[in-house]
Amino acid sequence: MRLKYSRHCDVLVVGSGIAGIMAALAAAVAGRSVILASSGPVFSGSSFYPGTWGLGLIGPENEADQEDLVQSILEVGCGMADEAMVRAFVAGIAPAIEGVKAMGVQLKAAADQNQKDFIPCFDRKHRSWNGLLFDSMRQVFSRKMEESGVEQLPGCELLQLIKTDGRVSGAVVCCGKELTAIRCGALVLATGGYGGLFRDRLTTDDVAGAGQWLALEAGAELVNLEFMQMMPGYLNPCRKTIFNEKTFRYTRLTGPDGRDILENEPDRQALLECRSTHGPFTSRLISRRVDLAMVKAAQAAPEQGVTVTYGPEIRENTPEFVRTYFDWLWEKKHLTMDDPVQIAPFAHAANGGVRIDPNGFTGVPGLFACGEVTGGMHGADRIGGLSTANGLVFGRKAGESAAAFAAAQPVPRADGPVEFDARIIPDQAERRRRMQDVMSECGMVVRTGEALRQGMERLAQLADGCAFTEGDDATQIAASRRLWAQLHLAQAILSAQCMRTESRGSHYRADYPERNPAMERRILVRLEGSTARAAFEQNLAEERSEKQ
Ligand SMILES: Cc1cc2nc3c(=O)[nH]c(=O)nc-3n(C[C@H](O)[C@H](O)[C@H](O)COP(=O)(O)OP(=O)(O)OC[C@H]3O[C@@H](n4cnc5c(N)ncnc54)[C@H](O)[C@@H]3O)c2cc1C
């Protein structure tokens, strides 16, 4: 199919979560014409997840705290975070927070920052804690985008990156029901994580996980894909509501047989205390036994999961963080701490993704990326509140870098029409459902080599079995293209999980339950021909130097 360019801009930002919005505003402030396109509405993705009150955001308490935060990120990242990225990240947080404050965004502060519940997940001390409130962000960012002339294209899905003379020069998109092409001087990818590859996910549906694959096709590399946060969430009632981990210490957790899932643990309360200090699963702490018991119970009764009831202690001296959560739960869901809820692990936020440098550059001329679609600044585990900070810091950097690139090397206006392989996979919805089953069965909390190999085989069959037909229904073409990207990214993730034969942070292998110091190496994925290949970073570096 031949597509015509229908729009032109200096900087095309794809994704309208916190990272994309920051990038769009930064590029517009730098004087560039900007289009902000997103498959969801403006203000979408995990950044505006309806099942929570807003976003926690942390940063160093002051300048003296910066080095400690860097060290804490590196430690929690278990050797998988890139130190140069971490340093650039931490140095950028305070200015980024000041930046959003100066715009007028209201930040929620903790009434008593010193309560231990305000120590971020996995961190070792208090940091500067702020809450970004959805309503305030929407109001302020809308006004700022209008003032700076950012053109917004909600309901516009990226399907392919266009390259001219080795640089990214545009994108094929499905806008509403129309396939079209947008030409740009530089493109910022801010399409979020890959929760959409999983059946059980605590993300919005537009966080599809196609952007990573499209970047790979354009020549970028992916890093740390095997590290993803798995988080307890509600099965019943109000499915996909986030569970507040700070309440674990007050809970009794019962399985489908009505028995305490930790009844055989002599140090039951110590496990729950530890589990209360972090939202996502980690293989690194003793609390992993709580998650493993939850997984076992959830596997026995997938629709029932684990029933949570609270003891009297929670009512006696309710900490502020917990009170805020229950106030929100009552206001939005009409639930109290007396209502029993059933929970299970859900796929949540990705720690890895498109590899970028401290300026948000992917290594592919004209292509920049920011936010959860990227990786390198986080490692095997991520400190809570740093994903929001990531969007703020690298969103701005990517927007500024893209603006500078577009100003220095404007894209030629005279390109001809774009060739696009517009094919339909008639049973794409069913194939996506089966892919999500595979990912939830093989790639969640408990992973084994055997299950991962079977999962990869099932995914390969799903991809190889696609029967393509011709057609001109743009929505079907877009959904088929999305599935194709998702299936390939899913295979790359499972192959990275399979290659890491140890347990490290969020990655737990039941067949290799301990951390192996010899595996303190990042796994990169890149495209060779049309096949994604996962390899340890050092091996790739050695291969490169041998070739030179
Ligand atoms: C329930 C929940 C609570 C969380 N709480 C916190 C917290 O308190 N603190 C914290 O630090 N982190 C938190 N996180 C993680 C954090 O919210 C995300 O990592 C972060 O907001 C991601 O921002 P982003 O802009 O990179 O992506 P997103 O906000 O996910 O936005 C992605 C955007 O890309 C668009 N998109 C996707 N694919 C395409 C495509 N192919 N074409 C066009 N557009 C596309 C989507 O429509 C969306 O606009 C939470 C996540 C969830 C789900």
Side-chain angles (χ1 to χ4, degrees), residues 14-20 37-41 43-49 51-57 156-159 190-193 202-203 206-211 214 242 348-349 370-373 382 384-389:
V14 185
S16 184
I18 188 83
S38 55
S39 47
F43 307 116
S44 49
S46 290
S47 305
F48 295 91
Y49 188 78
T52 185
W53 55 269
L55 290 173
L57 161 66
C156 182
E157 181 172 3
L158 172 71
L159 304 181
T191 49
L202 270 181
T203 57
D206 55 338
V207 180
L214 302 184
I242 203 156
H348 184 60
C370 54
E372 201 186 315
V373 75
R382 162 173 77 69
L386 281 182
S387 203
T388 311

Side-chain angles (χ1 to χ4, degrees), residues 263-481:
E263 68 180 2
N264 295 325
E265 295 284 1
D267 45 359
R268 178 185 173 283
Q269 195 53 35
L271 298 185
L272 288 172
E273 285 293 333
C274 180
R275 191 62 188 83
S276 292
T277 64
H278 57 93
F281 164 75
T282 181
S283 64
R284 207 163 38 90
L285 302 172
I286 54 163
S287 51
R288 83 180 189 188
R289 304 216 298 266
V290 178
D291 292 83
L292 297 183
M294 283 201 291
V295 168
K296 208 166 150 198
Q299 277 170 347
E303 281 313 307
Q304 195 175 331
V306 170
T307 301
V308 179
T309 44
Y310 290 105
E313 308 80 25
I314 196 169
R315 291 163 190 83
E316 281 157 18
N317 191 9
T318 318
E320 183 192 339
F321 206 100
V322 172
R323 200 176 51 243
T324 308
Y325 170 72
F326 280 109
D327 287 349
W328 171 84
L329 203 61
W330 173 246
E331 192 189 317
K332 299 285 181 197
K333 315 271 173 187
H334 278 275
L335 289 177
T336 71
M337 52 180 83
D338 294 320
D339 295 306
V341 293
Q342 291 167 327
I343 62 169
F346 284 78
H348 184 60
N351 287 355
V354 179
R355 184 140 93 144
I356 54 169
D357 76 4
N359 294 314
F361 179 48
T362 62
V364 179
L367 181 61
F368 301 81
C370 54
E372 201 186 315
V373 75
T374 63
M377 69 299 296
H378 308 307
D381 277 329
R382 162 173 77 69
I383 290 177
L386 281 182
S387 203
T388 311
N390 177 24
L392 293 183
V393 172
F394 289 105
R396 190 156 92 169
K397 284 173 186 275
E400 287 169 356
S401 306
F405 182 91
Q409 309 183 47
V411 72
R413 293 193 72 103
D415 293 353
V418 177
E419 284 298 337
F420 176 63
D421 188 7
R423 293 183 297 172
I424 291 176
I425 303 169
D427 56 351
Q428 54 83 19
E430 172 58 17
R431 280 181 192 273
R432 180 172 297 102
R433 199 189 55 69
R434 282 159 59 192
M435 170 198 72
Q436 290 166 337
D437 282 347
V438 172
M439 293 303 280
S440 282
E441 285 159 24
C442 309
M444 293 264 299
V445 174
V446 179
R447 302 163 184 175
T448 65
E450 180 63 22
L452 289 167
R453 278 185 289 277
Q454 281 175 13
M456 284 191 282
E457 237 167 73
R458 286 163 70 192
L459 291 176
Q461 281 166 8
L462 281 172
D464 295 345
C466 287
F468 295 97
T469 61
E470 300 296 321
D472 54 10
D473 180 332
T475 319
Q476 282 293 314
I477 292 169
S480 303
R481 177 82 183 118

